[in-house]
Coordinates of all heavy atoms in Angstrom, one line a residue:
K1 N 49.7 106.0 122.3 CA 51.1 106.0 122.7 C 51.9 107.0 121.9 O 52.7 107.7 122.4 CB 51.6 104.6 122.5 CG 53.1 104.4 122.9 CD 53.6 103.0 122.7 CE 53.5 102.5 121.3 NZ 54.0 101.1 121.1
Y2 N 51.7 106.9 120.5 CA 52.5 107.8 119.7 C 52.1 109.3 119.9 O 52.9 110.2 119.8 CB 52.3 107.5 118.2 CG 53.1 106.3 117.8 CD1 52.6 105.0 117.7 CD2 54.5 106.5 117.5 CE1 53.4 103.9 117.4 CE2 55.3 105.4 117.1 CZ 54.7 104.1 117.1 OH 55.5 103.0 116.7
I3 N 50.8 109.5 120.2 CA 50.4 110.9 120.5 C 51.1 111.4 121.8 O 51.5 112.5 121.9 CB 48.8 110.9 120.7 CG1 48.2 110.7 119.4 CG2 48.4 112.3 121.3 CD1 46.7 110.6 119.5
S4 N 51.2 110.5 122.8 CA 51.9 110.9 124.0 C 53.4 111.2 123.8 O 54.0 111.9 124.5 CB 51.7 109.7 125.1 OG 52.5 108.6 124.7
W5 N 53.9 110.6 122.7 CA 55.3 110.8 122.4 C 55.5 112.1 121.6 O 56.6 112.6 121.5 CB 55.9 109.7 121.6 CG 56.1 108.4 122.3 CD1 56.0 108.2 123.7 CD2 56.3 107.1 121.7 NE1 56.2 106.9 124.0 CE2 56.4 106.2 122.8 CE3 56.4 106.6 120.4 CZ2 56.6 104.8 122.6 CZ3 56.6 105.3 120.2 CH2 56.7 104.4 121.3
G6 N 54.4 112.6 121.0 CA 54.5 113.9 120.3 C 54.0 113.9 118.9 O 54.0 114.9 118.2
A7 N 53.4 112.8 118.5 CA 52.8 112.8 117.1 C 51.6 113.7 117.0 O 50.7 113.8 117.9 CB 52.3 111.4 116.8
T8 N 51.6 114.6 116.0 CA 50.5 115.6 115.8 C 49.6 115.2 114.7 O 48.5 115.7 114.7 CB 51.2 116.9 115.5 OG1 51.9 116.9 114.3 CG2 52.1 117.4 116.7
H9 N 50.1 114.4 113.7 CA 49.2 114.1 112.5 C 49.5 112.6 112.1 O 50.6 112.1 112.3 CB 49.5 115.0 111.4 CG 49.1 116.4 111.6 ND1 50.0 117.3 112.3 CD2 48.1 117.1 111.2 CE1 49.4 118.5 112.4 NE2 48.2 118.4 111.7
A10 N 48.5 112.0 111.6 CA 48.6 110.6 111.1 C 48.4 110.6 109.6 O 47.4 111.3 109.1 CB 47.7 109.7 111.8
V11 N 49.2 109.9 108.9 CA 49.0 109.8 107.4 C 48.8 108.4 107.0 O 49.6 107.5 107.5 CB 50.3 110.3 106.7 CG1 50.1 110.3 105.2 CG2 50.6 111.8 107.1
I12 N 47.8 108.1 106.2 CA 47.5 106.8 105.7 C 47.6 106.8 104.2 O 47.0 107.7 103.6 CB 46.1 106.3 106.2 CG1 46.1 106.2 107.7 CG2 45.8 105.0 105.5 CD1 44.7 105.7 108.2
C13 N 48.3 105.9 103.7 CA 48.4 105.8 102.2 C 48.4 104.3 101.9 O 49.4 103.6 101.9 CB 49.7 106.4 101.7 SG 50.0 106.3 99.9
L14 N 47.2 103.8 101.5 CA 47.1 102.3 101.4 C 46.4 102.0 100.1 O 45.5 102.6 99.6 CB 46.2 101.8 102.5 CG 46.6 102.1 104.0 CD1 45.5 101.6 104.9 CD2 47.9 101.5 104.3
S15 N 46.9 100.9 99.5 CA 46.3 100.3 98.3 C 45.1 99.5 98.9 O 45.0 99.3 100.1 CB 47.2 99.4 97.6 OG 47.7 98.4 98.4
E16 N 44.3 99.0 97.9 CA 43.1 98.3 98.4 C 43.4 97.0 99.1 O 42.8 96.7 100.1 CB 42.2 98.0 97.2 CG 41.5 99.2 96.5 CD 40.6 99.9 97.5 OE1 40.0 99.3 98.3 OE2 40.6 101.2 97.4
D17 N 44.5 96.3 98.7 CA 44.8 95.1 99.4 C 45.4 95.4 100.8 O 45.3 94.6 101.7 CB 45.8 94.3 98.6 CG 47.1 95.1 98.3 OD1 47.0 96.2 97.8 OD2 48.2 94.6 98.5
Q18 N 46.0 96.6 101.0 CA 46.6 96.9 102.3 C 45.5 97.4 103.2 O 45.6 97.4 104.4 CB 47.7 98.0 102.1 CG 48.9 97.5 101.4 CD 49.9 98.6 101.1 OE1 49.5 99.8 100.9 NE2 51.1 98.3 100.9
R19 N 44.4 98.0 102.7 CA 43.3 98.5 103.5 C 42.7 97.4 104.3 O 42.2 97.6 105.4 CB 42.3 99.1 102.6 CG 42.7 100.5 102.1 CD 41.7 101.1 101.1 NE 40.4 101.4 101.8 CZ 40.2 102.5 102.4 NH1 41.1 103.5 102.5 NH2 39.0 102.7 103.0
V20 N 42.8 96.1 103.9 CA 42.3 95.0 104.7 C 43.0 94.9 106.0 O 42.4 94.6 107.0 CB 42.4 93.7 103.8 CG1 42.0 92.5 104.7 CG2 41.6 93.8 102.6
R21 N 44.4 95.1 105.9 CA 45.1 95.0 107.1 C 45.1 96.3 108.0 O 45.4 96.3 109.1 CB 46.6 94.7 106.8 CG 46.8 93.3 106.3 CD 48.2 93.1 105.8 NE 48.4 93.7 104.5 CZ 49.6 93.7 103.9 NH1 50.7 93.3 104.5 NH2 49.7 94.2 102.7
G22 N 44.7 97.4 107.3 CA 44.7 98.7 108.0 C 43.3 99.2 108.4 O 43.2 100.3 108.9
Y23 N 42.3 98.4 108.2 CA 40.9 98.9 108.4 C 40.6 99.3 109.8 O 39.9 100.2 110.1 CB 39.9 97.9 107.8 CG 39.5 96.8 108.8 CD1 38.4 96.9 109.6 CD2 40.3 95.6 108.8 CE1 38.1 95.8 110.5 CE2 40.0 94.6 109.7 CZ 38.9 94.7 110.5 OH 38.6 93.7 111.4
K24 N 41.2 98.5 110.8 CA 40.9 98.8 112.2 C 41.4 100.2 112.6 O 40.8 101.0 113.2 CB 41.5 97.8 113.1 CG 40.8 96.4 113.1 CD 41.5 95.5 114.1 CE 40.8 94.1 114.0 NZ 41.4 93.2 115.0
A25 N 42.6 100.5 112.1 CA 43.2 101.8 112.4 C 42.4 102.9 111.7 O 42.1 104.0 112.3 CB 44.6 101.9 111.9
I26 N 41.9 102.7 110.4 CA 41.1 103.7 109.7 C 39.8 103.9 110.5 O 39.4 105.1 110.7 CB 40.9 103.2 108.3 CG1 42.2 103.1 107.5 CG2 39.9 104.2 107.6 CD1 42.1 102.5 106.2
R27 N 39.2 102.8 110.9 CA 37.9 103.0 111.6 C 38.0 103.7 112.9 O 37.2 104.6 113.2 CB 37.3 101.6 111.9 CG 35.9 101.6 112.4 CD 35.3 100.2 112.5 NE 36.2 99.3 113.4 CZ 35.9 98.0 113.6 NH1 34.9 97.5 112.9 NH2 36.7 97.3 114.4
Y28 N 39.1 103.4 113.6 CA 39.4 104.1 114.9 C 39.6 105.6 114.7 O 39.1 106.5 115.4 CB 40.6 103.5 115.6 CG 40.9 104.1 117.0 CD1 40.2 103.6 118.1 CD2 41.8 105.1 117.1 CE1 40.5 104.1 119.3 CE2 42.0 105.7 118.3 CZ 41.4 105.2 119.5 OH 41.6 105.7 120.7
M29 N 40.4 105.9 113.7 CA 40.7 107.3 113.4 C 39.5 108.1 112.9 O 39.3 109.3 113.2 CB 41.9 107.5 112.5 CG 43.3 107.2 113.3 SD 44.7 107.6 112.3 CE 44.9 106.1 111.4
D30 N 38.7 107.5 112.1 CA 37.5 108.1 111.6 C 36.6 108.5 112.7 O 35.9 109.5 112.7 CB 36.8 107.2 110.6 CG 37.5 107.3 109.2 OD1 38.2 108.3 108.9 OD2 37.2 106.3 108.4
K31 N 36.6 107.6 113.7 CA 35.7 107.8 114.9 C 36.2 108.9 115.8 O 35.4 109.7 116.4 CB 35.5 106.5 115.6 CG 34.6 106.6 116.8 CD 34.4 105.2 117.5 CE 33.4 105.3 118.7 NZ 33.3 104.0 119.3
H32 N 37.5 109.0 116.0 CA 38.0 109.8 117.1 C 38.7 111.1 116.6 O 38.9 112.0 117.4 CB 38.9 109.0 118.0 CG 38.3 107.9 118.8 ND1 38.2 106.6 118.3 CD2 37.7 107.9 120.0 CE1 37.5 105.9 119.2 NE2 37.2 106.7 120.2
Y33 N 39.1 111.1 115.3 CA 40.0 112.2 114.9 C 39.5 112.8 113.6 O 38.8 112.2 112.8 CB 41.4 111.8 114.8 CG 42.0 111.3 116.0 CD1 42.1 109.9 116.3 CD2 42.4 112.2 117.0 CE1 42.6 109.4 117.5 CE2 42.9 111.7 118.2 CZ 43.0 110.4 118.5 OH 43.5 109.9 119.7
Q34 N 39.9 114.1 113.4 CA 39.4 114.8 112.2 C 40.3 114.6 111.0 O 41.5 114.7 111.1 CB 39.4 116.3 112.6 CG 38.9 117.2 111.4 CD 37.4 117.0 111.2 OE1 36.6 116.9 112.1 NE2 37.1 116.9 109.9
A35 N 39.6 114.2 109.9 CA 40.4 114.0 108.6 C 40.5 115.4 108.0 O 39.5 116.1 107.8 CB 39.6 113.1 107.7
L36 N 41.7 115.8 107.8 CA 41.9 117.2 107.2 C 41.9 117.2 105.7 O 41.5 118.2 105.1 CB 43.3 117.7 107.7 CG 43.5 117.8 109.2 CD1 44.9 118.3 109.4 CD2 42.5 118.8 109.8
G37 N 42.3 116.1 105.1 CA 42.3 116.0 103.6 C 42.4 114.6 103.1 O 42.8 113.7 103.9
S38 N 42.2 114.4 101.9 CA 42.3 113.1 101.3 C 42.6 113.2 99.8 O 42.4 114.2 99.2 CB 41.0 112.2 101.5 OG 39.9 112.9 100.9
D39 N 43.0 112.0 99.2 CA 43.4 112.0 97.8 C 43.3 110.5 97.4 O 43.3 109.6 98.2 CB 44.7 112.6 97.6 CG 44.9 113.0 96.1 OD1 44.0 112.7 95.3 OD2 46.0 113.6 95.8
A40 N 43.3 110.3 96.1 CA 43.4 108.9 95.6 C 44.3 109.0 94.4 O 44.1 109.8 93.4 CB 42.0 108.4 95.2

C-alpha cells in the first residue's frame, strides 16, 4: 500500500526487544526486497 502511494525505500531501526514485534516485516522485506545497507 505504501509503495503504491510512492514509498521508494524502507528503513528499519529496531532494538532487540522491538525486533520481536517487527520480525514479520523484516522477514517479508528480506524475501522480496533488496537490502542496500545495514548498521548496528
Side-chain angles (χ1 to χ4, degrees):
K1 177 179 65 176
Y2 282 99
I3 293 174
S4 70
W5 291 347
T8 60
H9 295 79
V11 181
I12 294 178
C13 179
L14 306 177
S15 60
E16 291 301 326
D17 59 309
Q18 291 171 337
R19 287 175 66 86
V20 174
R21 288 174 283 174
Y23 81 95
K24 289 184 179 179
I26 297 172
R27 187 173 61 183
Y28 183 87
M29 281 189 276
D30 281 340
K31 180 178 181 181
H32 294 91
Y33 299 99
Q34 180 67 43
L36 300 179
S38 62
D39 199 357

